[in-house]
Amino acid sequence: VLLLYLARIGSLIGMVALIYLAIRTTPIAKWPFVIIGLLPMTLFAGSVISTDPATIGLSALLIAYVLRLTLTKQVLSKGNFVALALIASALALIKVINIILLPLIFLIVFKKMHRDQSRRALFSYALATIVFAVCIFLLSSYANPAVQTDSIARYPEGVVPIEQIKLILSRPNEFIFALWNTYFYAWGDNVHYSLIGTFGWMDTPMAVPFIVVGYTMLLLVLVSNTNLDHKKLKHITWRGKAGIWM
């Protein structure tokens, strides 16, 4: 029992450290990272023995690092893309679904450079970073076939991912309708509850007013002054103060 709780405490400390590093890294929107890191479900997920703590922490760090490289005036180097490749590879190894975050790296290309030659070089580095992370995942899956077998065995009866992908490509209108139903209806998956409206592994739903307050709080923090110096709290806008108060 002692080792179990030590492992849970270690997982939480690791996730908190990654989110703290993300807050220090991002040049803007520091408060949204703080709020998301303090959500009840985030703290619970960070204190379990699973891949969730690393997924949450590394996702925050990847987004923060991309924002830093995109919005600051620092000169990009190969070392920056090596760091991105390491974070992206770790995310891909933890859960394959995390690969959907990797195209964010292209924000650096579209925002940072304006000269055609530099843009081409930057695009090559960004593409190589994403390809490297995907290759690392594929090599890991090939070296350990049990991972694939175990993942396939967890699909509910009648769920065939390949057929779902074919449906998305062939009938996108039906897919959008199914996506809406999945997110916003009680007879769907109630995905809009997400980290805000769900607590614990038993998927205990929280009250709808709590969810509304949670999303409102995030909105207020997102639209508040993102260039705020955290040492000058007296300059927080009224929307930021309202978000912090809630």
Side-chain angles (χ1 to χ4, degrees), residues 118-136:
S118 298
R119 186 183 291 274
R120 285 195 296 268
L122 195 57
F123 180 84
S124 300
Y125 286 137
L127 183 61
T129 300
I130 295 175
V131 170
F132 176 80
V134 174
C135 288
I136 290 294

Side-chain angles (χ1 to χ4, degrees), residues 28-194:
I28 63 170
K30 294 180 182 291
W31 280 109
F33 283 95
V34 174
I35 297 299
I36 293 173
L38 290 176
L39 290 174
M41 187 59 182
T42 304
L43 294 174
F44 180 88
S47 64
V48 299
I49 306 174
S50 71
T51 58
D52 289 342
T55 297
I56 296 171
L58 288 174
S59 296
L61 183 59
L62 177 68
I63 295 171
Y65 196 48
V66 168
L67 289 175
R68 183 179 186 86
L69 297 181
T70 301
L71 300 177
T72 59
K73 296 181 179 180
Q74 72 176 85
V75 179
L76 298 179
S77 65
K78 294 181 180 179
N80 296 132
F81 287 98
V82 170
L84 276 175
L86 293 176
I87 299 173
S89 300
L91 276 171
L93 286 173
I94 293 170
K95 284 186 179 180
V96 64
I97 191 63
N98 294 332
I99 291 177
I100 64 174
L101 291 174
L102 302 189
L104 287 174
I105 296 173
F106 285 116
L107 285 175
I108 304 171
V109 180
F110 299 134
K111 183 72 176 179
K112 194 73 176 179
M113 297 296 182
H114 300 287
R115 294 178 298 175
D116 292 339
Q117 185 176 0
S118 298
R119 186 183 291 274
R120 285 195 296 268
L122 195 57
F123 180 84
S124 300
Y125 286 137
L127 183 61
T129 300
I130 295 175
V131 170
F132 176 80
V134 174
C135 288
I136 290 294
F137 166 75
L138 293 176
L139 288 173
S140 174
S141 300
Y142 178 78
N144 187 11
V147 174
Q148 295 179 335
T149 304
D150 183 54
S151 298
I152 294 174
R154 294 180 182 178
Y155 292 134
E157 184 178 356
V159 175
V160 183
I162 298 299
E163 296 299 326
Q164 292 175 333
I165 294 174
K166 290 180 180 179
L167 174 65
I168 294 171
L169 297 177
S170 62
R171 290 181 282 182
N173 293 337
E174 292 185 17
F175 168 69
I176 294 174
F177 182 72
L179 192 65
W180 175 267
N181 291 340
T182 299
Y183 269 73
F184 296 105
Y185 285 94
W187 42 267
D189 289 340
N190 272 336
V191 180
H192 67 285
Y193 274 43
S194 188

Side-chain angles (χ1 to χ4, degrees), residues 224-236:
S224 62
N225 184 7
T226 57
N227 295 318
L228 175 69
D229 184 347
H230 68 282
K231 295 182 180 179
K232 300 177 181 179
L233 297 180
K234 62 181 180 179
H235 297 302
I236 297 178

